[in-house]
Amino acid sequence: MESSNGFVSKEQLELARSALESEDPSSVSPMGGQPKKGASVGKGTCGGLHDPAEGALYNNDPNYDSTEEQDGDPTIKDTPRKLDAYKRKATVIVEEYFATSDVVSTANELRELKLPGYSYYFVKKLVSMAMDRHDKEKEMAAVLLSALYSEVIDPSQVYKGFSKLVESADDLIVDIPDTVDVLALFIARAVVDDILPPAFLKKQLASLPADSKGVDVLRRAEKGYLAAPLHSEIIERRWVSSMNKTVDDVKVKINNLLVEFIASGDKKEACRCIKELKVPFFHHEIVKRALVMAMERRAVESQLLELLKKTTEEGLINSSQVTKGFGRIIDVVDDLSLDIPDARGILKSLISKAASEGWLSVSSLKSLSPPSPKESVEDTAAKLFKMKAQSIIQEYFLSGDIAEVSDCIESENSSCSPDLNAMFIKRLVTLAMDRKNREKEMASVLLSSLCFPTDDVVHGLIMLIESADDTVLDNPIVVEDLGMFLARAVVDEVIAPQQLEEIESQFLGTESTGNKVLQMAKSLLKARLAGERILRCWGGGGSSSKNGWAVEDVKDKIGKLLEEFESGGDIREACRCIKELGMPFFHHEVVKKALVKIMESKSEKLWGLLNEGFRSGLITSYQMTKGFGRVAESMEDLRLDVPDAEKQFGYYIEKAKLTGWLDSSFGIGPTTKSSYVKENGTNI
């Protein structure tokens, strides 16, 4: 199952599309004017593609619509034969997409057609075919359009495609009785997903005959859907319930197919059932479940091993999934020992048999040696911490108290264990991904406010990415969600872009969901206005932020408020302005800019502001440390304007340590120039 075929929020889809957005600002937008309209297509088309009526596209054919050629790409020769070929290929692409749910492959196939001027027809065909199918396909169609918008399909082509659909409503209703309601919902969804401008409805109404079904469609979209209270959430979730396939559902199906296989012995049928699950990233569960059955019922051991061998020989279950399945059993072998005597010995035997038959690589497996007493104690401590971490996070989502979270973590992880810090980060993001945008934003803010070492954060993110194959079953949009968390971590300077590349190096060459997550994060960061868009994704700056402020806007406001304070402003007013920014995770920029100004002007008035900010809790010790760190990283550039910058900075570091702003271990390492996310050529 591809992650792209689940519920995707408006904000996330906007960002996913912007990640693929062309750098050409002159791309055509439907906002700039209404595309050329054509006459309604004749009956018999019904949005259909390979009907005989559509096969004969000639000027003397009553079903021939010349505007479908005249409005094509001017760079190509407009011939009925070329359009007819495009239609046939478009039908195949849509059918394959409904079968595979693979957004990336669909996008590539459309690009390979190299006929962008006919993309409106793909829009029309995709929607018309989805209209005559189940809610699952309707949701898939809506998600695909949002993903392809702008990058693969030009906005004007999306606009034109929906225009053609509205004009064809009288024909569509012949084969699809509920055309008015379904097409109205597609149009409303397109408006909510920002791929159609709201003005589309009025412009289309003005161009249609008063008695056409298209008018009914547009009125239903406007009054029945878009005018309703909370219409965005209602529209976005209308078809999504049919898309959810949970982990438990898949596990039940896996168990059933293995039970049936044991009873029948039909390997061919079992392989067919495995294919029909369409969860290649979850095949390790088949391996795991088959091994457990083999350990529980020794009489069917050979039969189950033969099935696993056949699936690997046919490439149905790949080697990484086989290894992962065995690894999962190794992880729980001690628990299995409670029900299966000598579970460890039996598992060793199974591993030996699989390796001797050539379908398992023993070198890639974990050790099966019994854990030492020390490891057992550590494992118990980790389990207890996970339970407490979940409680801490749930309380944070209710209270929003970052200081309380920090105190709780310090109490529960007094030894500052890197592994426990990483576990907390994994749990925080996992819980947030299963909630609304408010909690996702709160999680990002907390992540940037905690005093975790960067290595611990990276470790936690790697753990999240490694578990993405499992998470996708409970959260179909894990690629978009987790990709956004990674991108946000870079924008918030929780991790550096170079560290994102280091994480990616661990997943190179894999077809896992984790690799797709990393590609999504990189795409988001490369998009135009990346910093602004990513900060906006979940509302920006938590519950008190000024939504929509770009990073550069915030930097500018910080610079101005510091200048005003330095020229005679009130310290309380300055603190109020900093608080009103609503971006506590960005207060290190206040520290950085204030320190630079202090060293440039050799006036310590701003030092008093920093002192008040720290004393009142407005600037946390983490943000203070981060601000000093940013100055240290930019020292090479600062020396060009302030020759004695390094000497001054050393003095202020010692002074900050004496006042308790910095830990005594803080110092200036080798001066390096940081590489930050770039937005329009400027460092963030």
Side-chain angles (χ1 to χ4, degrees), residues 107-131:
N108 290 336
E109 288 172 8
L110 273 178
R111 287 191 183 99
E112 287 171 5
L113 293 180
K114 296 181 180 178
L115 292 170
Y118 290 151
S119 294
Y120 71 89
Y121 185 81
F122 179 82
V123 174
K124 176 184 173 185
K125 189 60 184 175
L126 174 67
V127 174
S128 61
M129 288 176 69
M131 286 171 62

mmCIF file of all heavy atoms in Angstrom, residues 107-131:
data_model
loop_
_atom_site.group_PDB
_atom_site.id
_atom_site.type_symbol
_atom_site.label_atom_id
_atom_site.label_comp_id
_atom_site.label_asym_id
_atom_site.label_seq_id
_atom_site.Cartn_x
_atom_site.Cartn_y
_atom_site.Cartn_z
ATOM 1 N N ALA A 107 2.862 9.501 -11.950
ATOM 2 C CA ALA A 107 3.445 10.774 -12.372
ATOM 3 C C ALA A 107 4.498 10.562 -13.452
ATOM 4 O O ALA A 107 4.542 11.295 -14.449
ATOM 5 C CB ALA A 107 4.069 11.481 -11.169
ATOM 6 N N ASN A 108 5.326 9.552 -13.273
ATOM 7 C CA ASN A 108 6.370 9.267 -14.268
ATOM 8 C C ASN A 108 5.780 8.871 -15.607
ATOM 9 O O ASN A 108 6.261 9.279 -16.664
ATOM 10 C CB ASN A 108 7.294 8.164 -13.754
ATOM 11 C CG ASN A 108 8.164 8.628 -12.600
ATOM 12 O OD1 ASN A 108 8.412 9.827 -12.454
ATOM 13 N ND2 ASN A 108 8.610 7.715 -11.773
ATOM 14 N N GLU A 109 4.726 8.065 -15.578
ATOM 15 C CA GLU A 109 4.088 7.638 -16.825
ATOM 16 C C GLU A 109 3.469 8.813 -17.565
ATOM 17 O O GLU A 109 3.523 8.888 -18.797
ATOM 18 C CB GLU A 109 3.034 6.569 -16.525
ATOM 19 C CG GLU A 109 3.638 5.223 -16.135
ATOM 20 C CD GLU A 109 2.589 4.235 -15.667
ATOM 21 O OE1 GLU A 109 1.392 4.542 -15.794
ATOM 22 O OE2 GLU A 109 2.968 3.159 -15.169
ATOM 23 N N LEU A 110 2.876 9.745 -16.816
ATOM 24 C CA LEU A 110 2.307 10.937 -17.456
ATOM 25 C C LEU A 110 3.399 11.796 -18.085
ATOM 26 O O LEU A 110 3.231 12.325 -19.186
ATOM 27 C CB LEU A 110 1.530 11.765 -16.432
ATOM 28 C CG LEU A 110 0.062 11.402 -16.210
ATOM 29 C CD1 LEU A 110 -0.528 12.283 -15.130
ATOM 30 C CD2 LEU A 110 -0.739 11.534 -17.494
ATOM 31 N N ARG A 111 4.512 11.933 -17.391
ATOM 32 C CA ARG A 111 5.626 12.703 -17.944
ATOM 33 C C ARG A 111 6.137 12.065 -19.238
ATOM 34 O O ARG A 111 6.483 12.762 -20.191
ATOM 35 C CB ARG A 111 6.764 12.790 -16.933
ATOM 36 C CG ARG A 111 6.509 13.716 -15.750
ATOM 37 C CD ARG A 111 7.798 13.915 -14.969
ATOM 38 N NE ARG A 111 7.610 14.735 -13.783
ATOM 39 C CZ ARG A 111 7.466 14.253 -12.560
ATOM 40 N NH1 ARG A 111 7.502 12.956 -12.360
ATOM 41 N NH2 ARG A 111 7.317 15.055 -11.527
ATOM 42 N N GLU A 112 6.186 10.742 -19.238
ATOM 43 C CA GLU A 112 6.720 10.037 -20.400
ATOM 44 C C GLU A 112 5.851 10.225 -21.645
ATOM 45 O O GLU A 112 6.338 10.084 -22.774
ATOM 46 C CB GLU A 112 6.853 8.539 -20.091
ATOM 47 C CG GLU A 112 8.017 8.237 -19.135
ATOM 48 C CD GLU A 112 8.017 6.802 -18.649
ATOM 49 O OE1 GLU A 112 7.163 6.017 -19.125
ATOM 50 O OE2 GLU A 112 8.872 6.464 -17.798
ATOM 51 N N LEU A 113 4.577 10.556 -21.463
ATOM 52 C CA LEU A 113 3.710 10.813 -22.618
ATOM 53 C C LEU A 113 4.148 12.075 -23.365
ATOM 54 O O LEU A 113 3.921 12.199 -24.566
ATOM 55 C CB LEU A 113 2.249 10.959 -22.172
ATOM 56 C CG LEU A 113 1.577 9.700 -21.612
ATOM 57 C CD1 LEU A 113 0.139 10.017 -21.212
ATOM 58 C CD2 LEU A 113 1.599 8.566 -22.632
ATOM 59 N N LYS A 114 4.758 13.012 -22.638
ATOM 60 C CA LYS A 114 5.284 14.253 -23.219
ATOM 61 C C LYS A 114 4.226 15.024 -24.017
ATOM 62 O O LYS A 114 4.489 15.572 -25.082
ATOM 63 C CB LYS A 114 6.501 13.961 -24.104
ATOM 64 C CG LYS A 114 7.678 13.396 -23.316
ATOM 65 C CD LYS A 114 8.887 13.122 -24.198
ATOM 66 C CE LYS A 114 10.040 12.565 -23.371
ATOM 67 N NZ LYS A 114 11.219 12.243 -24.187
ATOM 68 N N LEU A 115 2.999 15.030 -23.479
ATOM 69 C CA LEU A 115 1.908 15.783 -24.107
ATOM 70 C C LEU A 115 1.175 16.586 -23.024
ATOM 71 O O LEU A 115 0.000 16.337 -22.737
ATOM 72 C CB LEU A 115 0.930 14.827 -24.813
ATOM 73 C CG LEU A 115 1.469 14.105 -26.051
ATOM 74 C CD1 LEU A 115 0.490 13.035 -26.498
ATOM 75 C CD2 LEU A 115 1.716 15.101 -27.185
ATOM 76 N N PRO A 116 1.849 17.541 -22.401
ATOM 77 C CA PRO A 116 1.225 18.288 -21.299
ATOM 78 C C PRO A 116 -0.019 19.059 -21.707
ATOM 79 O O PRO A 116 -0.871 19.346 -20.871
ATOM 80 C CB PRO A 116 2.340 19.238 -20.847
ATOM 81 C CG PRO A 116 3.240 19.372 -22.046
ATOM 82 C CD PRO A 116 3.205 18.028 -22.704
ATOM 83 N N GLY A 117 -0.143 19.369 -22.999
ATOM 84 C CA GLY A 117 -1.309 20.108 -23.471
ATOM 85 C C GLY A 117 -2.589 19.304 -23.456
ATOM 86 O O GLY A 117 -3.681 19.859 -23.605
ATOM 87 N N TYR A 118 -2.469 17.989 -23.288
ATOM 88 C CA TYR A 118 -3.648 17.125 -23.224
ATOM 89 C C TYR A 118 -3.920 16.639 -21.801
ATOM 90 O O TYR A 118 -4.749 15.759 -21.587
ATOM 91 C CB TYR A 118 -3.478 15.909 -24.136
ATOM 92 C CG TYR A 118 -3.530 16.227 -25.619
ATOM 93 C CD1 TYR A 118 -2.839 15.436 -26.534
ATOM 94 C CD2 TYR A 118 -4.261 17.313 -26.095
ATOM 95 C CE1 TYR A 118 -2.873 15.714 -27.893
ATOM 96 C CE2 TYR A 118 -4.300 17.604 -27.441
ATOM 97 C CZ TYR A 118 -3.606 16.809 -28.343
ATOM 98 O OH TYR A 118 -3.649 17.092 -29.677
ATOM 99 N N SER A 119 -3.226 17.187 -20.830
ATOM 100 C CA SER A 119 -3.385 16.719 -19.452
ATOM 101 C C SER A 119 -4.800 16.931 -18.926
ATOM 102 O O SER A 119 -5.254 16.220 -18.032
ATOM 103 C CB SER A 119 -2.394 17.440 -18.530
ATOM 104 O OG SER A 119 -1.072 17.093 -18.846
ATOM 105 N N TYR A 120 -5.510 17.918 -19.468
ATOM 106 C CA TYR A 120 -6.891 18.149 -19.040
ATOM 107 C C TYR A 120 -7.723 16.891 -19.244
ATOM 108 O O TYR A 120 -8.650 16.595 -18.481
ATOM 109 C CB TYR A 120 -7.522 19.316 -19.821
ATOM 110 C CG TYR A 120 -7.806 18.994 -21.265
ATOM 111 C CD1 TYR A 120 -9.021 18.441 -21.650
ATOM 112 C CD2 TYR A 120 -6.847 19.208 -22.249
ATOM 113 C CE1 TYR A 120 -9.269 18.121 -22.972
ATOM 114 C CE2 TYR A 120 -7.085 18.893 -23.565
ATOM 115 C CZ TYR A 120 -8.297 18.345 -23.925
ATOM 116 O OH TYR A 120 -8.550 18.019 -25.232
ATOM 117 N N TYR A 121 -7.389 16.140 -20.309
ATOM 118 C CA TYR A 121 -8.160 14.929 -20.580
ATOM 119 C C TYR A 121 -7.890 13.873 -19.506
ATOM 120 O O TYR A 121 -8.800 13.137 -19.103
ATOM 121 C CB TYR A 121 -7.844 14.349 -21.965
ATOM 122 C CG TYR A 121 -8.737 13.173 -22.267
ATOM 123 C CD1 TYR A 121 -10.034 13.370 -22.736
ATOM 124 C CD2 TYR A 121 -8.322 11.881 -21.988
ATOM 125 C CE1 TYR A 121 -10.882 12.299 -22.937
ATOM 126 C CE2 TYR A 121 -9.161 10.803 -22.188
ATOM 127 C CZ TYR A 121 -10.439 11.016 -22.670
ATOM 128 O OH TYR A 121 -11.279 9.950 -22.849
ATOM 129 N N PHE A 122 -6.654 13.806 -19.034
ATOM 130 C CA PHE A 122 -6.339 12.865 -17.949
ATOM 131 C C PHE A 122 -7.149 13.220 -16.707
ATOM 132 O O PHE A 122 -7.672 12.329 -16.025
ATOM 133 C CB PHE A 122 -4.844 12.901 -17.628
ATOM 134 C CG PHE A 122 -4.458 11.978 -16.510
ATOM 135 C CD1 PHE A 122 -4.246 10.633 -16.752
ATOM 136 C CD2 PHE A 122 -4.340 12.450 -15.217
ATOM 137 C CE1 PHE A 122 -3.917 9.766 -15.716
ATOM 138 C CE2 PHE A 122 -4.017 11.592 -14.178
ATOM 139 C CZ PHE A 122 -3.806 10.247 -14.435
ATOM 140 N N VAL A 123 -7.243 14.522 -16.397
ATOM 141 C CA VAL A 123 -8.045 14.970 -15.255
ATOM 142 C C VAL A 123 -9.489 14.515 -15.425
ATOM 143 O O VAL A 123 -10.098 13.949 -14.508
ATOM 144 C CB VAL A 123 -7.983 16.504 -15.110
ATOM 145 C CG1 VAL A 123 -8.927 16.985 -14.004
ATOM 146 C CG2 VAL A 123 -6.560 16.959 -14.834
ATOM 147 N N LYS A 124 -10.033 14.751 -16.615
ATOM 148 C CA LYS A 124 -11.416 14.380 -16.904
ATOM 149 C C LYS A 124 -11.613 12.878 -16.790
ATOM 150 O O LYS A 124 -12.577 12.396 -16.186
ATOM 151 C CB LYS A 124 -11.787 14.862 -18.307
ATOM 152 C CG LYS A 124 -13.190 14.458 -18.762
ATOM 153 C CD LYS A 124 -13.427 14.887 -20.196
ATOM 154 C CE LYS A 124 -14.753 14.352 -20.720
ATOM 155 N NZ LYS A 124 -14.957 14.663 -22.151
ATOM 156 N N LYS A 125 -10.688 12.113 -17.342
ATOM 157 C CA LYS A 125 -10.818 10.663 -17.339
ATOM 158 C C LYS A 125 -10.673 10.087 -15.940
ATOM 159 O O LYS A 125 -11.420 9.190 -15.534
ATOM 160 C CB LYS A 125 -9.747 10.048 -18.257
ATOM 161 C CG LYS A 125 -9.954 8.556 -18.484
ATOM 162 C CD LYS A 125 -11.298 8.315 -19.123
ATOM 163 C CE LYS A 125 -11.603 6.827 -19.281
ATOM 164 N NZ LYS A 125 -12.959 6.629 -19.801
ATOM 165 N N LEU A 126 -9.711 10.595 -15.192
ATOM 166 C CA LEU A 126 -9.480 10.120 -13.833
ATOM 167 C C LEU A 126 -10.733 10.309 -12.977
ATOM 168 O O LEU A 126 -11.184 9.380 -12.294
ATOM 169 C CB LEU A 126 -8.309 10.890 -13.209
ATOM 170 C CG LEU A 126 -8.018 10.628 -11.725
ATOM 171 C CD1 LEU A 126 -7.534 9.205 -11.514
ATOM 172 C CD2 LEU A 126 -6.994 11.631 -11.203
ATOM 173 N N VAL A 127 -11.303 11.498 -13.021
ATOM 174 C CA VAL A 127 -12.479 11.795 -12.200
ATOM 175 C C VAL A 127 -13.690 11.007 -12.672
ATOM 176 O O VAL A 127 -14.425 10.427 -11.863
ATOM 177 C CB VAL A 127 -12.773 13.310 -12.200
ATOM 178 C CG1 VAL A 127 -14.085 13.606 -11.477
ATOM 179 C CG2 VAL A 127 -11.627 14.082 -11.553
ATOM 180 N N SER A 128 -13.925 10.944 -13.988
ATOM 181 C CA SER A 128 -15.106 10.246 -14.500
ATOM 182 C C SER A 128 -15.055 8.753 -14.192
ATOM 183 O O SER A 128 -16.073 8.135 -13.884
ATOM 184 C CB SER A 128 -15.269 10.481 -15.999
ATOM 185 O OG SER A 128 -14.152 9.990 -16.709
ATOM 186 N N MET A 129 -13.855 8.159 -14.250
ATOM 187 C CA MET A 129 -13.730 6.745 -13.913
ATOM 188 C C MET A 129 -13.916 6.522 -12.416
ATOM 189 O O MET A 129 -14.531 5.542 -11.990
ATOM 190 C CB MET A 129 -12.371 6.207 -14.362
ATOM 191 C CG MET A 129 -12.245 6.048 -15.865
ATOM 192 S SD MET A 129 -10.597 5.510 -16.404
ATOM 193 C CE MET A 129 -10.554 3.834 -15.772
ATOM 194 N N ALA A 130 -13.389 7.436 -11.617
ATOM 195 C CA ALA A 130 -13.542 7.315 -10.154
ATOM 196 C C ALA A 130 -14.997 7.490 -9.735
ATOM 197 O O ALA A 130 -15.456 6.847 -8.781
ATOM 198 C CB ALA A 130 -12.668 8.356 -9.460
ATOM 199 N N MET A 131 -15.719 8.350 -10.433
ATOM 200 C CA MET A 131 -17.129 8.596 -10.107
ATOM 201 C C MET A 131 -17.963 7.330 -10.181
ATOM 202 O O MET A 131 -18.962 7.188 -9.472
ATOM 203 C CB MET A 131 -17.706 9.653 -11.052
ATOM 204 C CG MET A 131 -17.242 11.065 -10.779
ATOM 205 S SD MET A 131 -17.749 12.222 -12.071
ATOM 206 C CE MET A 131 -19.536 12.122 -11.943
#
